[in-house]
């Protein structure tokens, strides 16, 4: 199978880590979401990454769906708890971390894609507020490891990638006020070698 992504994408990083933990090999192919000629727009009409291309040509997106698919290929219960409270806790943590990543990405895009005179401070502050509230909630209760066969579940993977993206694009400014999350991320990196292996060049 082929994964369309780009090295800085935290959502693509989620899938790479999930595939590693489930023992599934993926061929990685660069996708340029800003290039109208890139085939990613045909593979996912939204033009977003990551996209997983199965051998039969079927495209699966986006990252939560891909991770669930990889979990099913691994027999279930690999990175996603099979049922019950643990499953919904992992999925909720993933949703919060994904929202954090979305808000962080939108702040980056506001600077990267708009001329200085066209940027909206109100818009950027709104996105920054989402990041701050998510970090506050996660600092108060970092996710516990769920009952899965791998060393991390989808919620943990998503949070690690969200914090990694803040390190990449915001110079780790979150760290000073969130010591519990710093400790949590250090522990995650220690038990999940794929986290370091998928780090994007700065």
């Amino acid at each position: 199978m082929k994964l369309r992504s780009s090295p800085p994408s935290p959502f693509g990083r989620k899938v790479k880590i999930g595939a590693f933990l489930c023992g599934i090999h993926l061929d990685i192919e660069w996708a340029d979401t800003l290039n109208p000629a890139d085939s990613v727009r045909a593979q996912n009409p939204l033009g977003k990454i990551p996209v997983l291309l199965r051998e039969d040509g079927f495209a699966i997106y986006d990252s939560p769906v891909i991770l669930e698919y990889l979990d099913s290929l691994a027999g279930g219960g690999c990175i996603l708890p099979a049922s019950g409270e643990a499953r919904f806790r992992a999925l909720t943590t993933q949703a919060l971390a994904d929202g954090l990543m979305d808000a962080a990405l939108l702040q980056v895009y506001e600077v990267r894609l708009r001329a200085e005179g066209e940027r909206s401070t109100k818009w950027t502050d709104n996105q920054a507020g989402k990041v701050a509230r998510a970090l506050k909630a996660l600092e108060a209760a970092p996710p516990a490891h769920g009952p899965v066969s791998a060393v991390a579940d989808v919620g943990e993977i998503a949070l690690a990638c969200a914090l990694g993206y803040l390190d990449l694009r915001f110079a780790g400014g979150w760290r000073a006020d969130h010591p519990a999350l710093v400790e949590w991320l250090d522990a995650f990196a220690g038990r999940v070698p794929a986290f370091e292996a998928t780090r994007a060049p700065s």
Side-chain angles (χ1 to χ4, degrees):
M1 293 184 292
K2 181 184 297 182
L3 181 69
R4 301 295 315 281
S5 186
S6 68
S9 169
F11 296 102
R13 190 180 191 185
K14 278 177 58 184
V15 173
K16 294 172 192 174
I17 293 173
F20 176 85
L21 293 179
C22 289
I24 297 170
H25 173 76
L26 299 178
D27 291 324
I28 311 298
E29 183 178 278
W30 176 278
D32 183 354
T33 58
L34 299 180
N35 180 2
D38 194 302
S39 59
V40 71
R41 297 188 180 196
Q43 294 153 352
N44 176 355
L46 300 175
K48 297 174 66 175
I49 53 174
V51 179
L52 181 69
L53 301 176
R54 294 194 320 199
E55 292 179 0
D56 63 2
F58 185 73
I60 300 176
Y61 46 83
D62 51 7
S63 64
V65 183
I66 297 173
L67 288 180
E68 186 162 356
Y69 179 68
L70 295 176
D71 184 78
S72 73
L73 290 181
C78 175
I79 54 175
L80 183 59
S83 62
E85 183 72 11
R87 182 181 181 89
F88 292 107
R89 285 185 178 274
L91 289 172
T92 300
T93 299
Q94 177 179 220
L96 180 57
D98 282 357
L100 192 165
M101 287 188 276
D102 274 329
L105 278 162
L106 288 173
Q107 292 178 72
V108 171
Y109 290 164
E110 185 72 6
V111 173
R112 182 175 296 172
L113 301 180
R114 291 184 186 272
E116 187 170 356
E118 299 174 348
R119 296 172 193 163
S120 169
T121 301
K122 183 178 180 180
W123 166 262
T124 303
D125 287 348
N126 185 45
Q127 302 308 321
K130 295 177 185 180
V131 172
R133 292 191 300 274
L135 288 172
K136 181 178 180 180
L138 291 160
E139 172 72 10
H145 181 57
V148 292
S149 60
V151 295
D153 64 37
V154 294
E156 295 175 287
I157 295 167
L159 176 55
C161 292
L163 298 176
Y165 188 73
L166 294 181
D167 280 340
L168 177 67
R169 295 300 192 216
F170 295 85
W174 64 277
R175 290 175 171 269
D177 296 325
H178 303 91
L181 284 179
V182 171
E183 182 178 356
W184 180 89
L185 185 60
D186 287 345
F188 179 92
R191 61 189 162 93
V192 184
F195 183 67
E196 179 61 35
T198 55
R199 185 184 301 275
S202 57

